[in-house]
Amino acid sequence: MSRRGVLIAVVAGATAVSAVPVAGATEGNLYPYGASIWAVSAQFGATVLPGPVWQIQAPALSPAGTGNHWEMNWGCPAVGSEIAAVQWSALRTQAPSSLALQVTGDRRVIWSEGDAAMPQSPQGGRSYDVRLGGGNCNVHLGLNQTEGRNQHARGYFIDNPRILVRDVAAPTVSIGPLPTGWLTGAASLQVSWAAADNFGSDGIAGQRVLIGGQARWSGAPGAGSHVVDVPLSGVPDGMHAVTVQVDGDGTGGVAAGGAISVDGTPPTSSGLSADLPGAPGAVSLGWTAEDNLSGVAGSRAEVNSATEGGTGGTWETVATTQQAGRKSVAVQGLALADGMHAWRVWTTDMAGNSAASVATGRIAIDTTPPKVELHSVPSGWVSRADIDMTATDNLQSALGIGATEIDVNTAADGGESGEWVRRGTSSAPAGRRVIPIDLTGLENGRHALRVVVRNGGPFGSALATERRGVVKVDSLDPSISRATFSPGGSRPMKVGWTADDAHAGVATATVQWKDAGTWRTLASEKASDGTGSLVVDVSALPAGERPVRLIIADAAGNTAVRAGTATIIGTGAGTTAADPLARLRDAHLSLFVAGARTELRGTRAVLVRRIGAGGRVRISGRLLDRAGRGIVGSEIQVRDHRGRIIGRGLTRAGGGFAIDARPVGGGIVRTGVAAGRQLLPRRASVDVRLEVRPTVGLGASSTGVAVGEQILFSGRLRPSPSQLGLGSRKGIVLEWLDPVRRIWRPVVNARIRGDGTFSIPWTFGLGGLTIPMRVVVPTEVGWPLLPVRSGVIRVRVR
């Protein structure tokens, strides 16, 4: 028999039918439905037991007819739905056969599994959950005989066959008529609408009424007609959309709407700006007064007397205007104390509504010049000078501090009869700083020095502090009247001289020899005016006539040079004479770093030393030739990872040396004798790595603010990115201490400028707390410093 013939027989042999039950309320868009109409063939028998459970029995068949011998059929209960799953439990009582459980959709097989996978009594039954694709509305669960051969007697239990129905249609909504004309903000709006869904109230979730995009009412009244009164308080003037939104319970939502017009708010003041022309107590205020309907009657500007930028003081009226539009008012001589002052604008319309707009910025009132302290002006004779000073101001946390200008008078008698020339400037945060000044071109003698520090912000021209001093300039080189170089073939070499300096006096004498195109230092000692001498070990020099020179330096840093030659007698080391660097290439350099720890990198030892920024580290060692003899009089250089010289010194008797190096950044450093860009020997006994911890200072424009007021955190990192030779700016993180979990949390990622300074504005959103704040400078790829944290600033937020 064909498959179609079997199905007809099955339907014709139906023995029982049950109605589809109504689904109960559920969450989401899946609805359970129980057993439906069913049928059994003539070869099988079926009984409905409580549960419901279908007991299906078949005798031994010879042969067995193929096709469904028991089946249950479900359809979609509502328009806009589909069958999502078929579920049941099953158990067989005899051995497996050629029968299969089968789920079809529109008589197309969706799922099939032989009864061999079904548990056999006395085992417990097995649960089945067959998920269907979209669009199925005619689904059958059947027991299908897959072969027509002889079958033994069989029995099955089908427990609680059921389906899950998926709602795929969104609900519908229609809104009732809305009032026309203008509504006041004090009124309420009556909104009516009707909501419906193919599954009734169970297919509808939340419902909302929105005015101008803001939810003004929400609830879950289900299907039907609804009316609510919505308050209009807080709705601004103008036309606003009124929207009713209805959410489906697991399906999409719908909306319907209209529009209303509202006028119930006061006029506005916008574009508040304050410019400081530079005169103490003067300010130019600007704002725009507007009203959407009745028009502006007048406006007035007020300044608060509190000096920390808050609003807790009294409000003083400083300007009044009439009518709408852009206003600009110049105010002179504000009689308020120095500080940062909040200000606001009150605007009144023709109807009598008034509103205040508080400016986000603050007005700086400053009548006090900065304080300046000169710590040191060089007392001796100098060719260049560093001025060590401290500059502070009462408003430095808000305005910073202005430029520092250093002028030198051209008169050489210490007076001010000459011209003042600018020789140094600095723009740095308040505090202590060292400013180098250029003294080139000035006549030798005593010169008056003038240091001017200006206020920060716009008050630099009106408020400044001046300090005076005298600097003694010596730009003349010392004179060398006699210089001799011996031996005339003997060792060691003795260098004698007679030298004088009119102002600063002779300070040092240095002897160098010329190696190819490079002058190398053999020895350097302190000296004084008159006759002196120096004995130099030249055993490391190649034999022959060698150019040598004597450098005399005065205390101001000026130098004079006298050149000569010296005859060096060889010692039989022919390789040294042929290659003057051979002795250094083959040399052994041992290193020791005070306070360092030792780490291993593979089989290589690394001395690691940690120091603070600006600190010194002592690197000592010994330079020996291949025979173990000390190499004397060679200049040892210490270079950082960028090739900058951070320390140097001469080898002494036995080849020993000790150098105080001043690193700027961290990383691997190299030590040796300079040969062009190389250092010899090429590798020391150990590697040396320095870890430099920077310092970061943190200040705040105020330690007491109100919620919503801005505070400025500023400070400086030392050393700065520019001192490290890095062109890009460095990241810095502002953190606050979470008052609940007591952990530090980041709030702002900012950048450090090239000079090391940073400024981070922040506004607190929580009041009634004292919040600890700090900044953290983290490590980054290519950043040659250790991470560092600032001290903690506690800010009280009202």
mmCIF file of all heavy atoms in Angstrom, residues 535-566:
data_model
loop_
_atom_site.group_PDB
_atom_site.id
_atom_site.type_symbol
_atom_site.label_atom_id
_atom_site.label_comp_id
_atom_site.label_asym_id
_atom_site.label_seq_id
_atom_site.Cartn_x
_atom_site.Cartn_y
_atom_site.Cartn_z
ATOM 1 N N VAL A 535 102.220 64.801 37.260
ATOM 2 C CA VAL A 535 102.903 63.604 36.794
ATOM 3 C C VAL A 535 101.853 62.643 36.243
ATOM 4 O O VAL A 535 100.879 62.318 36.942
ATOM 5 C CB VAL A 535 103.712 62.943 37.919
ATOM 6 C CG1 VAL A 535 104.360 61.654 37.411
ATOM 7 C CG2 VAL A 535 104.774 63.902 38.440
ATOM 8 N N VAL A 536 102.089 62.200 34.985
ATOM 9 C CA VAL A 536 101.081 61.418 34.279
ATOM 10 C C VAL A 536 101.658 60.068 33.888
ATOM 11 O O VAL A 536 102.769 59.993 33.341
ATOM 12 C CB VAL A 536 100.594 62.167 33.022
ATOM 13 C CG1 VAL A 536 99.525 61.353 32.315
ATOM 14 C CG2 VAL A 536 100.086 63.541 33.393
ATOM 15 N N ASP A 537 100.924 58.993 34.153
ATOM 16 C CA ASP A 537 101.307 57.653 33.726
ATOM 17 C C ASP A 537 100.911 57.472 32.269
ATOM 18 O O ASP A 537 99.729 57.547 31.918
ATOM 19 C CB ASP A 537 100.601 56.608 34.597
ATOM 20 C CG ASP A 537 100.969 55.186 34.200
ATOM 21 O OD1 ASP A 537 101.839 55.010 33.327
ATOM 22 O OD2 ASP A 537 100.376 54.262 34.767
ATOM 23 N N VAL A 538 101.898 57.286 31.375
ATOM 24 C CA VAL A 538 101.626 57.131 29.939
ATOM 25 C C VAL A 538 101.948 55.730 29.469
ATOM 26 O O VAL A 538 102.177 55.494 28.282
ATOM 27 C CB VAL A 538 102.435 58.171 29.134
ATOM 28 C CG1 VAL A 538 101.937 59.566 29.408
ATOM 29 C CG2 VAL A 538 103.925 58.055 29.437
ATOM 30 N N SER A 539 101.958 54.772 30.392
ATOM 31 C CA SER A 539 102.328 53.406 30.022
ATOM 32 C C SER A 539 101.347 52.771 29.051
ATOM 33 O O SER A 539 101.694 51.833 28.346
ATOM 34 C CB SER A 539 102.440 52.547 31.282
ATOM 35 O OG SER A 539 101.181 52.507 31.955
ATOM 36 N N ALA A 540 100.141 53.265 29.033
ATOM 37 C CA ALA A 540 99.141 52.676 28.137
ATOM 38 C C ALA A 540 99.201 53.255 26.734
ATOM 39 O O ALA A 540 98.520 52.774 25.831
ATOM 40 C CB ALA A 540 97.739 52.898 28.713
ATOM 41 N N LEU A 541 100.021 54.300 26.501
ATOM 42 C CA LEU A 541 100.067 54.962 25.198
ATOM 43 C C LEU A 541 100.989 54.210 24.264
ATOM 44 O O LEU A 541 102.005 53.627 24.688
ATOM 45 C CB LEU A 541 100.549 56.408 25.335
ATOM 46 C CG LEU A 541 99.482 57.480 25.609
ATOM 47 C CD1 LEU A 541 98.738 57.175 26.887
ATOM 48 C CD2 LEU A 541 100.106 58.866 25.650
ATOM 49 N N PRO A 542 100.703 54.210 22.954
ATOM 50 C CA PRO A 542 101.614 53.599 21.981
ATOM 51 C C PRO A 542 102.902 54.402 21.891
ATOM 52 O O PRO A 542 102.929 55.616 22.117
ATOM 53 C CB PRO A 542 100.826 53.616 20.679
ATOM 54 C CG PRO A 542 99.826 54.699 20.857
ATOM 55 C CD PRO A 542 99.484 54.725 22.317
ATOM 56 N N ALA A 543 104.018 53.702 21.542
ATOM 57 C CA ALA A 543 105.321 54.356 21.479
ATOM 58 C C ALA A 543 105.382 55.325 20.307
ATOM 59 O O ALA A 543 104.659 55.202 19.319
ATOM 60 C CB ALA A 543 106.425 53.299 21.346
ATOM 61 N N GLY A 544 106.267 56.316 20.437
ATOM 62 C CA GLY A 544 106.489 57.293 19.376
ATOM 63 C C GLY A 544 106.171 58.692 19.818
ATOM 64 O O GLY A 544 105.874 58.955 20.992
ATOM 65 N N GLU A 545 106.233 59.617 18.864
ATOM 66 C CA GLU A 545 105.898 61.009 19.125
ATOM 67 C C GLU A 545 104.379 61.146 19.165
ATOM 68 O O GLU A 545 103.696 60.836 18.188
ATOM 69 C CB GLU A 545 106.488 61.919 18.033
ATOM 70 C CG GLU A 545 107.995 61.960 18.023
ATOM 71 C CD GLU A 545 108.531 62.727 19.225
ATOM 72 O OE1 GLU A 545 107.819 63.627 19.697
ATOM 73 O OE2 GLU A 545 109.647 62.433 19.685
ATOM 74 N N ARG A 546 103.849 61.617 20.283
ATOM 75 C CA ARG A 546 102.409 61.721 20.446
ATOM 76 C C ARG A 546 102.013 63.160 20.767
ATOM 77 O O ARG A 546 102.626 63.793 21.638
ATOM 78 C CB ARG A 546 101.928 60.808 21.583
ATOM 79 C CG ARG A 546 102.212 59.346 21.343
ATOM 80 C CD ARG A 546 101.515 58.852 20.090
ATOM 81 N NE ARG A 546 102.045 57.561 19.665
ATOM 82 C CZ ARG A 546 101.779 57.001 18.501
ATOM 83 N NH1 ARG A 546 101.002 57.652 17.647
ATOM 84 N NH2 ARG A 546 102.299 55.838 18.189
ATOM 85 N N PRO A 547 100.963 63.689 20.069
ATOM 86 C CA PRO A 547 100.466 65.023 20.410
ATOM 87 C C PRO A 547 99.837 65.001 21.795
ATOM 88 O O PRO A 547 99.054 64.113 22.131
ATOM 89 C CB PRO A 547 99.417 65.314 19.324
ATOM 90 C CG PRO A 547 99.700 64.342 18.234
ATOM 91 C CD PRO A 547 100.265 63.133 18.885
ATOM 92 N N VAL A 548 100.169 65.975 22.619
ATOM 93 C CA VAL A 548 99.574 66.129 23.941
ATOM 94 C C VAL A 548 99.187 67.589 24.122
ATOM 95 O O VAL A 548 99.651 68.465 23.384
ATOM 96 C CB VAL A 548 100.554 65.694 25.056
ATOM 97 C CG1 VAL A 548 100.816 64.204 24.997
ATOM 98 C CG2 VAL A 548 101.858 66.466 24.959
ATOM 99 N N ARG A 549 98.316 67.829 25.082
ATOM 100 C CA ARG A 549 97.935 69.208 25.365
ATOM 101 C C ARG A 549 97.577 69.363 26.830
ATOM 102 O O ARG A 549 97.185 68.399 27.495
ATOM 103 C CB ARG A 549 96.766 69.659 24.488
ATOM 104 C CG ARG A 549 95.450 68.996 24.784
ATOM 105 C CD ARG A 549 94.369 69.517 23.846
ATOM 106 N NE ARG A 549 93.054 68.925 24.132
ATOM 107 C CZ ARG A 549 91.960 69.186 23.428
ATOM 108 N NH1 ARG A 549 92.024 70.031 22.385
ATOM 109 N NH2 ARG A 549 90.819 68.628 23.757
ATOM 110 N N LEU A 550 97.736 70.607 27.298
ATOM 111 C CA LEU A 550 97.399 70.988 28.658
ATOM 112 C C LEU A 550 96.200 71.931 28.612
ATOM 113 O O LEU A 550 96.207 72.905 27.846
ATOM 114 C CB LEU A 550 98.582 71.698 29.330
ATOM 115 C CG LEU A 550 98.316 72.368 30.676
ATOM 116 C CD1 LEU A 550 98.027 71.322 31.749
ATOM 117 C CD2 LEU A 550 99.492 73.255 31.068
ATOM 118 N N ILE A 551 95.142 71.639 29.387
ATOM 119 C CA ILE A 551 93.943 72.479 29.466
ATOM 120 C C ILE A 551 93.882 73.064 30.871
ATOM 121 O O ILE A 551 93.812 72.320 31.858
ATOM 122 C CB ILE A 551 92.668 71.684 29.158
ATOM 123 C CG1 ILE A 551 92.750 71.045 27.772
ATOM 124 C CG2 ILE A 551 91.443 72.579 29.261
ATOM 125 C CD1 ILE A 551 91.585 70.121 27.460
ATOM 126 N N ILE A 552 93.926 74.402 30.961
ATOM 127 C CA ILE A 552 93.788 75.105 32.235
ATOM 128 C C ILE A 552 92.390 75.722 32.263
ATOM 129 O O ILE A 552 92.004 76.460 31.344
ATOM 130 C CB ILE A 552 94.858 76.201 32.394
ATOM 131 C CG1 ILE A 552 96.254 75.572 32.418
ATOM 132 C CG2 ILE A 552 94.619 77.008 33.660
ATOM 133 C CD1 ILE A 552 96.527 74.675 33.615
ATOM 134 N N ALA A 553 91.607 75.426 33.301
ATOM 135 C CA ALA A 553 90.253 75.962 33.444
ATOM 136 C C ALA A 553 90.183 76.812 34.692
ATOM 137 O O ALA A 553 90.777 76.482 35.736
ATOM 138 C CB ALA A 553 89.227 74.833 33.528
ATOM 139 N N ASP A 554 89.458 77.964 34.591
ATOM 140 C CA ASP A 554 89.262 78.783 35.780
ATOM 141 C C ASP A 554 87.969 78.384 36.473
ATOM 142 O O ASP A 554 87.212 77.528 35.989
ATOM 143 C CB ASP A 554 89.302 80.275 35.431
ATOM 144 C CG ASP A 554 88.151 80.699 34.518
ATOM 145 O OD1 ASP A 554 87.202 79.913 34.353
ATOM 146 O OD2 ASP A 554 88.207 81.822 33.970
ATOM 147 N N ALA A 555 87.694 79.004 37.615
ATOM 148 C CA ALA A 555 86.517 78.630 38.412
ATOM 149 C C ALA A 555 85.217 78.991 37.727
ATOM 150 O O ALA A 555 84.154 78.487 38.093
ATOM 151 C CB ALA A 555 86.595 79.305 39.781
ATOM 152 N N ALA A 556 85.288 79.877 36.710
ATOM 153 C CA ALA A 556 84.077 80.260 35.980
ATOM 154 C C ALA A 556 83.789 79.312 34.825
ATOM 155 O O ALA A 556 82.775 79.472 34.146
ATOM 156 C CB ALA A 556 84.205 81.691 35.449
ATOM 157 N N GLY A 557 84.694 78.361 34.556
ATOM 158 C CA GLY A 557 84.475 77.416 33.475
ATOM 159 C C GLY A 557 85.171 77.783 32.187
ATOM 160 O O GLY A 557 85.054 77.045 31.196
ATOM 161 N N ASN A 558 85.909 78.906 32.135
ATOM 162 C CA ASN A 558 86.659 79.279 30.938
ATOM 163 C C ASN A 558 87.942 78.457 30.879
ATOM 164 O O ASN A 558 88.516 78.097 31.923
ATOM 165 C CB ASN A 558 86.999 80.766 30.957
ATOM 166 C CG ASN A 558 85.746 81.625 31.132
ATOM 167 O OD1 ASN A 558 84.829 81.561 30.320
ATOM 168 N ND2 ASN A 558 85.700 82.419 32.202
ATOM 169 N N THR A 559 88.408 78.165 29.667
ATOM 170 C CA THR A 559 89.583 77.305 29.512
ATOM 171 C C THR A 559 90.601 77.916 28.567
ATOM 172 O O THR A 559 90.253 78.708 27.682
ATOM 173 C CB THR A 559 89.182 75.927 28.971
ATOM 174 O OG1 THR A 559 88.564 76.085 27.689
ATOM 175 C CG2 THR A 559 88.238 75.211 29.923
ATOM 176 N N ALA A 560 91.874 77.545 28.799
ATOM 177 C CA ALA A 560 92.963 77.872 27.895
ATOM 178 C C ALA A 560 93.712 76.591 27.595
ATOM 179 O O ALA A 560 93.797 75.692 28.446
ATOM 180 C CB ALA A 560 93.900 78.909 28.513
ATOM 181 N N VAL A 561 94.268 76.477 26.364
ATOM 182 C CA VAL A 561 94.899 75.245 25.913
ATOM 183 C C VAL A 561 96.323 75.549 25.441
ATOM 184 O O VAL A 561 96.567 76.541 24.739
ATOM 185 C CB VAL A 561 94.080 74.583 24.781
ATOM 186 C CG1 VAL A 561 94.766 73.311 24.313
ATOM 187 C CG2 VAL A 561 92.660 74.295 25.238
ATOM 188 N N ARG A 562 97.272 74.671 25.825
ATOM 189 C CA ARG A 562 98.635 74.734 25.307
ATOM 190 C C ARG A 562 98.989 73.328 24.830
ATOM 191 O O ARG A 562 98.924 72.359 25.609
ATOM 192 C CB ARG A 562 99.616 75.210 26.376
ATOM 193 C CG ARG A 562 101.047 75.355 25.871
ATOM 194 C CD ARG A 562 101.187 76.510 24.857
ATOM 195 N NE ARG A 562 100.879 77.784 25.464
ATOM 196 C CZ ARG A 562 101.790 78.553 26.074
ATOM 197 N NH1 ARG A 562 103.043 78.129 26.165
ATOM 198 N NH2 ARG A 562 101.441 79.721 26.590
ATOM 199 N N ALA A 563 99.381 73.205 23.513
ATOM 200 C CA ALA A 563 99.657 71.910 22.906
ATOM 201 C C ALA A 563 101.146 71.663 22.834
ATOM 202 O O ALA A 563 101.967 72.593 22.872
ATOM 203 C CB ALA A 563 99.034 71.830 21.520
ATOM 204 N N GLY A 564 101.532 70.379 22.750
ATOM 205 C CA GLY A 564 102.914 69.992 22.600
ATOM 206 C C GLY A 564 103.004 68.557 22.168
ATOM 207 O O GLY A 564 102.015 67.940 21.747
ATOM 208 N N THR A 565 104.220 67.990 22.231
ATOM 209 C CA THR A 565 104.428 66.588 21.893
ATOM 210 C C THR A 565 105.228 65.926 22.997
ATOM 211 O O THR A 565 105.963 66.586 23.742
ATOM 212 C CB THR A 565 105.175 66.435 20.554
ATOM 213 O OG1 THR A 565 106.436 67.080 20.653
ATOM 214 C CG2 THR A 565 104.365 67.011 19.414
ATOM 215 N N ALA A 566 105.075 64.596 23.072
ATOM 216 C CA ALA A 566 105.831 63.821 24.038
ATOM 217 C C ALA A 566 106.317 62.558 23.365
ATOM 218 O O ALA A 566 105.586 61.954 22.552
ATOM 219 C CB ALA A 566 104.974 63.478 25.253
#
